[in-house]
Amino acid sequence: MAKGKTDSVPFKVAIVSWIDLLGYGGMIANAEFNPADRRSRVPISRLRAFHRIVAEHSARTFRTLVLNDGAAAYRDLSMRGPDVTCDFLTRSFAMFTAINALEKANGFPGARMVMAVGFRSKGSRRAIDYTSGHLNSILSRLENGLISAEQAVKEAGSIQRYFDVLPQLQANFAFTKAYLADSSGSKAGLGGPRFFVDDAVFEGEVPTWLLSEDPISWEHAKLKLKANFIPISAVDIETARIANWCGLRDGLKVAEAIAPDTPILEAMRNNHR
């Protein structure tokens, strides 16, 4: 598929895993939200350990954004096969497992992760473009002899963003779904330090290489969001490889599952043939 043709589609099929530390708010509240209070040492240490593990699991194909005691991993699904879906699920589970192993070792409540899929509109690059334009200006003036090398280094070192944005998570409805489902917590049946996966990623039954529980029907009535989430407690990598990672959907099949017979879906079909 030609790059230009792909870029003409104003939306993507996204996958997002949102994870947050259970009980962290209560811990920091006990210290009256005061980092100088000795009681804040434990929750702050817990937070830093969480950030470290998220950083260790982040990669070019598994980017993350940390927001205090929560973190979002995000990626766009491939329209040509389920490899990206498989990779994202296994990386999400690996990060979830590592965080909860440390949480358990330290006697903390653990973390919950919700993985969801949905459409996203292409986001604004305003902050990125501003920084890029400023840097190009410096290089151009240096090349034309208008400023010295010393001045160029000084200007480049002082570039700051006064407005920032992460395009991949703007108008990203996979992120919206994952965050809201996690926020629903035990009241919606999504309680405890567990890993919940949107069943729209599965091609029929849950693959045998995943140890799963019964699906949990979730709904946000006000926003008219619905999903079935499958609790996953183990991933058998060897069996998955033997099975060639079968049982998961690619981006186009996910789109068909979450928005059947819509103009959006038809546009995606036309642009990915």
Side-chain angles (χ1 to χ4, degrees):
M1 181 196 318
K3 184 176 184 297
K5 193 171 186 180
T6 304
D7 289 346
S8 68
V9 182
F11 44 83
K12 302 281 188 179
V13 181
I15 188 165
V16 170
S17 286
W18 171 256
I19 185 167
D20 80 308
L21 296 176
L22 301 176
Y24 174 79
M27 292 177 70
I28 201 68
N30 288 337
E32 300 178 359
F33 299 96
N34 180 2
D37 189 310
R38 61 180 179 80
R39 292 172 295 178
S40 71
R41 294 175 185 174
V42 172
I44 289 176
S45 176
R46 181 189 182 196
L47 187 68
R48 288 173 176 166
F50 171 67
H51 292 173
R52 174 177 55 79
I53 295 178
V54 172
E56 289 172 353
H57 283 78
S58 302
R60 183 180 62 83
T61 56
F62 191 73
R63 299 177 186 270
T64 60
L65 173 68
V66 172
L67 298 168
N68 201 36
D69 60 324
Y74 56 93
R75 195 171 178 187
D76 293 332
L77 293 179
S78 169
M79 299 296 169
R80 298 186 176 185
D83 290 357
V84 169
T85 314
C86 299
D87 181 70
F88 191 87
L89 188 153
T90 53
R91 285 179 183 270
S92 294
F93 187 77
M95 185 170 76
F96 166 81
T97 302
I99 290 170
N100 276 286
L102 183 60
E103 284 276 301
K104 183 177 180 180
N106 290 329
F108 295 138
R112 177 170 53 241
M113 177 178 277
V114 177
M115 192 179 91
V117 289
F119 295 108
R120 79 167 179 91
S121 295
K122 289 184 179 179
S124 168
R125 290 175 47 89
R126 187 169 298 163
I128 298 171
D129 292 341
Y130 168 78
T131 301
S132 177
H134 193 170
L135 183 59
N136 288 338
S137 171
I138 294 170
L139 294 175
S140 176
R141 284 181 287 131
L142 176 63
E143 184 179 359
N144 293 323
L146 300 177
I147 58 174
S148 67
E150 182 180 358
Q151 179 64 24
V153 171
K154 184 177 180 180
E155 282 195 38
S158 66
I159 292 176
Q160 296 185 37
R161 291 183 183 177
Y162 299 102
F163 165 80
D164 209 348
V165 66
L166 186 60
Q168 293 89 340
L169 291 179
Q170 309 311 308
N172 184 323
F173 304 112
F175 183 29
T176 302
K177 190 195 298 183
Y179 181 83
L180 290 176
D182 171 69
S183 299
S184 300
S186 57
K187 292 181 180 179
L190 304 176
R194 294 190 288 170
F195 178 47
F196 299 97
V197 177
D198 190 335
D199 76 345
V201 306
F202 300 123
E203 189 72 75
E205 298 294 325
V206 178
T208 56
W209 48 269
L210 294 173
L211 183 60
S212 64
E213 300 173 32
D214 292 336
I216 298 167
S217 180
W218 173 82
E219 179 178 3
H220 193 293
K222 185 176 180 180
L223 298 180
K224 299 181 180 179
L225 274 174
K226 294 181 180 180
N228 289 320
F229 287 102
I230 311 291
I232 300 295
S233 55
V235 177
D236 188 336
I237 299 293
E238 292 305 314
T239 300
R241 287 172 178 164
I242 293 171
N244 198 29
W245 304 97
C246 67
L248 296 184
R249 290 174 167 146
D250 62 16
L252 188 56
K253 289 183 178 178
V254 166
E256 291 174 341
I258 62 178
D261 303 320
T262 67
I264 289 178
L265 180 57
E266 188 59 32
M268 298 192 75
R269 285 194 181 118
N270 291 337
N271 281 276
H272 292 92
R273 284 173 178 166

